[in-house]
Amino acid sequence: MVNKSEIKVTFGNRGYIAPVIVGTEGEHAVDIRKLRAETGFITYDEGYGNTGSCESAITFIDGEKGILRYRGYPIEELAERSNFIESAYLVIYGELPTARQLEDFRNSILMNAGIHEALRTMVAGFPMTAHPMAGLSAMLNALGCYYPELSSNNRKQDLENFDRTTTVLISKVRALAAMGYRYRNGLPVTYPKRGYSYCENFLHMMFSYPGEDSPIHPDVAKALDTLLLLHIDHEQNCSTSTVRMVGSGGANLFASVSAGVCALWGPMHGGANQAVIEMLSEINAGGDDGSKFVQRAKSGEVRLMGFGHRVYKNYDPRAKILHKQCMKIFDALGTDDPLLKIAHRLEDIALNDEYFKSRNLYPNVDFYSGIILRALGIPVNMFPVIFAMGRMPGWIAQWKEMAERPGGKIYRPRQVYIGENERHFIPLMERV
Ligand code: CMC
């Protein structure tokens, strides 16, 4: 039974009246916070597809219509008119910055690029073959140890220092990503230059040779900037929920985002961009035009990586923007990539196939992001690292929102136990 403000659930002769919460975009949620106390029941929702874990004012997604907004601004408008750092500020603080605020934010990011010598030794201590995501997660957590005043696990103090922690993290994630690459390639560490944008500096820190001032192609920097902007936030996805969950226990921001990196790493989440390139390369090497792979995906043997989304049941708006950016970058660089042709063919086959149509499986953000990153010369195993750089402001914003909420609760879901009933210990000699 539904009315405007409550839902009544009945079981036998018992009933529970649940208030209904309505979000600013008209989304309805049944508030079951008192369900167990009043009825003894819990809800069961593996994968949390129907569970709201928080109220949030950061990102709005309408998956059916393919809408994504940061703080109310459509993603298409931000991708066209803003840039990564300005949008990061918007997502974290809720409003677009004034010219002065933006300048201070940028300067603070630039000034925090240095990495402590001892931490550099740690980066160098990782095996050359280690996955960069393992290194990044470890380094972000270790980074907190060099800023004890920012990572106190005293919520009040960590919030008072929030602005500084924010620019330290946005700056250092870039420095750590580039430094890991330089070590793995036997190159000396490079520092950012004043006057370069965030992305120009990342490309400079990754690819410039000692003593050489290699120019940065503006289209390349723009493509990377758009890609990072599109990744800033995506409401309560796996890594963001992890950041909130870790933070909900009182952990500082460094520890929380370090856990976020681990959650992002998997191929069903932020590792999908790497998995897309591996899939396209496998198809290319096997001489398949994509149709055999699609058949295997339909039989459940493999997944078509870069396709499907828990929330989008329509074309992911980020994928549309990235596809355009992808075509632009190939034009600008005057290069070609056989994997782009395969991606186009796969998309064509899948979008016209009943299996994909009936399940609303469309390309997601990762379908074209890997092809762009490949064109920029980023090694495949660093693709999830780039995703983490883009997602960093979103994790920071979500941690802040969670930490500032008065009376915020530790995240602690329940379970339905399906193990053995009570039994008693059998001494070793008596076991058969
Ligand atoms: N290829 C083939 N079949 C698929 C795919 C796919 N990529 N994705 C879902 N399906 C099928 C799935 O087999 C199931 O079929 P059936 O109903 O017959 O059992 C149906 O579609 C629903 O799938 P699901 O696994 O219940 O959907 P989900 O919402 O739990 O999973 C997903 C979402 C993104 C994990 C999944 O679509 C997937 O694994 N995609 C490939 C990996 C990928 O590209 N991940 C990046 C997501 S975007 C970046 C981010 O925000 O993290």
Side-chain angles (χ1 to χ4, degrees), residues 268-269 272 303-310 355 359 364 366:
M268 287 206 280
H269 190 17
R303 285 213 159 185
L304 187 50
M305 300 313 286
F307 256 72
H309 201 275
R310 169 62 60 82
Y355 175 93
R359 288 169 179 77
N364 60 48
D366 290 315

Side-chain angles (χ1 to χ4, degrees), residues 199-375:
C199 285
E200 283 171 336
N201 260 325
F202 177 65
L203 293 165
H204 162 69
M205 289 155 84
M206 285 279 289
F207 299 124
S208 63
Y209 277 85
E212 194 183 278
D213 213 5
S214 8
I216 310 288
H217 195 306
D219 290 331
V220 168
K222 172 68 187 157
L224 183 61
D225 191 274
T226 306
L227 192 143
L228 295 189
L229 183 153
L230 295 175
H231 282 83
I232 292 178
D233 195 50
H234 215 234
E235 45 133 280
Q236 305 312 313
N237 57 80
C238 174
S239 57
T240 301
S241 297
T242 299
V243 168
R244 277 191 179 250
M245 178 167 276
V246 172
S248 78
N252 65 77
L253 192 42
F254 294 90
S256 303
V257 298
S258 158
V261 170
C262 293
L264 186 71
W265 187 0
M268 287 206 280
H269 190 17
N273 48 21
Q274 176 176 346
V276 168
I277 293 299
E278 286 161 0
M279 172 189 78
L280 295 174
S281 305
E282 183 194 322
I283 294 172
N284 191 35
D288 176 16
D289 72 343
S291 35
K292 279 192 208 137
F293 196 89
V294 166
Q295 282 311 321
R296 288 172 66 203
K298 285 163 67 173
S299 71
E301 187 194 331
V302 290
R303 285 213 159 185
L304 187 50
M305 300 313 286
F307 256 72
H309 201 275
R310 169 62 60 82
V311 179
Y312 293 118
K313 300 304 166 200
N314 201 322
Y315 216 102
D316 178 342
R318 303 168 300 171
K320 272 190 197 159
I321 300 168
L322 275 189
H323 183 225
K324 272 196 208 145
Q325 202 56 248
C326 187
M327 302 316 289
K328 245 184 176 166
I329 197 77
F330 279 103
D331 262 7
L333 297 178
T335 51
D336 200 5
D337 186 345
L339 300 195
L340 179 61
K341 288 196 187 85
I342 294 178
H344 279 148
R345 223 178 300 131
L346 269 183
E347 184 179 347
D348 248 20
I349 300 171
L351 292 183
N352 291 302
D353 188 294
E354 200 40 44
Y355 175 93
F356 292 89
K357 284 204 280 190
S358 62
R359 288 169 179 77
N360 295 314
L361 299 171
Y362 294 88
N364 60 48
V365 69
D366 290 315
F367 197 62
Y368 288 108
S369 64
I371 298 174
I372 295 181
L373 292 174
R374 206 169 114 98

Side-chain angles (χ1 to χ4, degrees), residues 43-71:
T43 57
Y44 179 65
D45 184 22
E46 190 180 336
Y48 311 130
N50 305 283
T51 297
S53 59
C54 60
E55 289 178 315
S56 180
I58 301 171
T59 290
F60 172 71
I61 300 176
D62 183 329
E64 275 71 33
K65 294 189 183 138
I67 291 173
L68 168 62
R69 297 185 202 129
Y70 295 159
R71 300 284 188 183

